[in-house]
Amino acid sequence: MATNKETPSAENPEKLLNLKSTGPKKWAAGIPAVVAALSDVIEEGIPFRGTGALFVMNQKGGFDCSSCAWPDPDDDRSPVGEYCENGAKALAEEATTKKVTADFFAQNSIVDLANLTDFEIGKKGRLTEPMYLPEEGTHYQPISWDDAFTKIAQHLNALESPDEAIFYTSGRTSNETSFLYQLFAKEFGTNNMPDCSNMCHESSGTALRPTIGIGKGTVTLNDFYDTDLVVIIGHNPGTNAPRMMSALEKGKKNGAKIIAINPLPEAGLMAFRNPQEIKGILGTGAQLADLYLPVKINGDMALLKAFEMLLLEAERTSPGKVLDNEFIAGNTVGYSEFIKQFNNYELDELAIAAGLPSADIRLAADMLANNKRIIFCWGMGLTQQPNGVEMIREIVNICLMKGSIGKPGAGVCPVRGHSNVQGNRTMMIDEKPTQKQLDRLKEVFGFEPPREHGYDVVNAIKAMHAGKAKVFFGMGGNFLSATPDTTYTAEALRQLRLSVHVSIKLNRSHLVHGKEALILPTLSRSDKDMVNGELQFISTENSMGVVQSSKGILKPVSDQLINETHIVCRMAMATLGSRSVVDWSRYMNCYDDIRDIIEKCIPGFENYNMRVRQKSGFYLPNGARDGKFITDKFGDKAPFTITKLPVNTLADDEYMMASTRTHDQFNTTIYGLEDRYRGIKNERRVVFMNQKDMDNAGYTEGEKVDLFNYDDGIERVARLFVVVSYPIPERNTVTYFPETNVLLSINNVVGESNMPAAKFIRIKIKKHQSLV
Ligand code: SF4
């Protein structure tokens, strides 16, 4: 019989489902989106509970969608609903009344559960009570909340150093919980606070902070309605932030143009059928991209440099008409050094490196040259490349050349993935807090916080693997499935003395655990949060720096669920006892008191309690948005950055692979087995290949293959995938995560940000060899 240590991972099954592949769709949303949204609610058996909640989601005074971080309109919101298909799916997931009870765990061993796919695990329902796995145990068993906190405290206090503990945060966690959580970790004595930002937009913050003075985007939703040109790079709005398509549609109605840059022709970049408009339902919808550039993986840097070179060329031809020389002179440094590099580049060479025709690059450069108000948006297609930080700095370079930042209708927009990932960081969930932030905490609370940097995600995994970290506490998320090098990470997690997960549903990370393990069930965003008989609200910050309240309305599925803030306070009281100087019981009972103390510690939260009660919340200060670029090194000037062009070579039998998610998935949560916009049904183990590559390798559509990676001299295998012919640049392939995380070496990271480079994985493809 298999033991937990040998728990088979459903990442390597020996069977496939019944794949149907029909090719990429030409438009996104429309009736199919409405049908998909409602069918998920119905499938979960919550037609009234679910649809009722949808009308409150993202409305003023309602609750915030727990999926992506796209902002809601400041002014009136649609009475029909301020949500998209994916928001509805996220709601159906958490509002389900299916339950995972103590009986369920008694009947299903960890090995049984690990044999299920991530999709099957997620469909089991909501967790209902705290569960504990003793050492050598085969089944989780119930435990009281008090005993759970005692166990955590015993383990934490038995560590030789606080730095042997890791406190992970997922982007769903509210501002209030995040603040207390980091406060607890610091009072306990560590900055080991990896978070999901270390895997999605760390590259954006790392690139933007030293160049424009803030690690966040600079635009608001209204800027999309008032812009000339939107450039979307490495981002798929149709799946990752679907309501962004409404903003793009509105911008286009006002005259904006769109350039879309992506190796895959994603439907959400091409056209949008707005399901809230008759024309969108019955007609052809709105065209989005005016120009689509199918750049090859990591060809973006060459493309951005080509844009800069052509802008300079155009400025030389029409002086004063293309670049904003006044802006450059008054607001930037390093321009003359920056432009020297372009003597070394040839357009044709850059075009080959980008994998695009020179003529198409010229068309895009003309659009940049002829427009003044430009917004650059990007997603993980950029941030997860090895030179993602440098590429974002090139975007800043272009904005500075054009003076297209810090004014209406212009600026940078990293499109954040998880609903409060930006707020977590504002609340100091950060393995590298600044000395200024730490000084402020010391002043307000009177304890000395640790000053050394802690572990980010990659370093946390390495520390666990090396036995240097012994307790892992996960505030939300599905750490194992979200992180790279699955086999290595599983080994790391199994070394722990204790793993703890605060979760709303069962996930794979509960099944690959430390010697002892705890699952602590909590409330979801849409659940009513009652404290001392009063309904509470929490707050979050969206992608554009707006802080808003969120108040759940649904009856929780179990009266044993407690909110995350309670969990932090009780863990802190149990662990720190009388050595704490923080009044945890006070914060446990009053969210207003938490917000008051946040106001004292974090700039921009003045009158937090008053302003968060305003219907549209409030904007946090953003100097770059106002045209003030205050950086540590260059005072009030934004620097131009000089970067290198990467040299990417592949051996004859190698391909470059990017992993992405399906349309039926949010991060590690798998809603279903369809990827509608890419025409895939009933299978997740697919590898998209160019037809020429398939011909050269002798593969036909539906061929069964195994995927290999050999970084660090180690063979990594993802078995049994199906080849799908797709319009993708030659020698490039795309697969879905988390199935192919197993191929991503822990050492394949983005320079400076140390993020896993999930969009740049060197693979070999071989015909499938069955192991059974
Ligand atoms: S766009 Fe994002 S935040 Fe808005 S409803 Fe859709 S998933 Fe939720």
Side-chain angles (χ1 to χ4, degrees), residues 57-58 64-72 82-88 240-244:
M57 187 158 89
N58 293 333
D64 189 30
C65 171
S66 62
S67 190
C68 85
W70 190 252
D72 309 309
E82 275 296 344
Y83 60 89
C84 70
E85 172 189 349
N86 289 6
N240 300 344
R243 280 189 308 152
M244 180 178 173

Side-chain angles (χ1 to χ4, degrees), residues 131 140 148-149 151-152 155-156 166 168 181 471-476 496 498-503 509-510 513-514 516-520 567 571:
M131 302 300 297
Y140 274 98
F149 291 120
K151 274 211 180 297
I152 296 170
H155 276 276
L156 288 175
I166 288 169
Y168 171 75
Y181 188 46
V471 174
F472 175 91
F473 189 98
M475 181 60 78
L496 294 164
L498 177 71
S499 53
V500 186
H501 289 94
V502 177
S503 306
S509 297
H510 304 139
H513 47 75
E516 293 175 69
L518 283 162
I519 304 174
L520 307 181
I567 291 175
M571 171 167 67

Side-chain angles (χ1 to χ4, degrees), residues 297-298 300 380-388 391 750 757 759-760:
I297 293 175
N298 205 238
D300 318 70
M380 288 182 279
L382 269 201
T383 63
Q384 292 182 333
Q385 296 196 42
N387 53 348
M391 292 199 283
V750 182
K759 298 289 187 282
F760 194 83

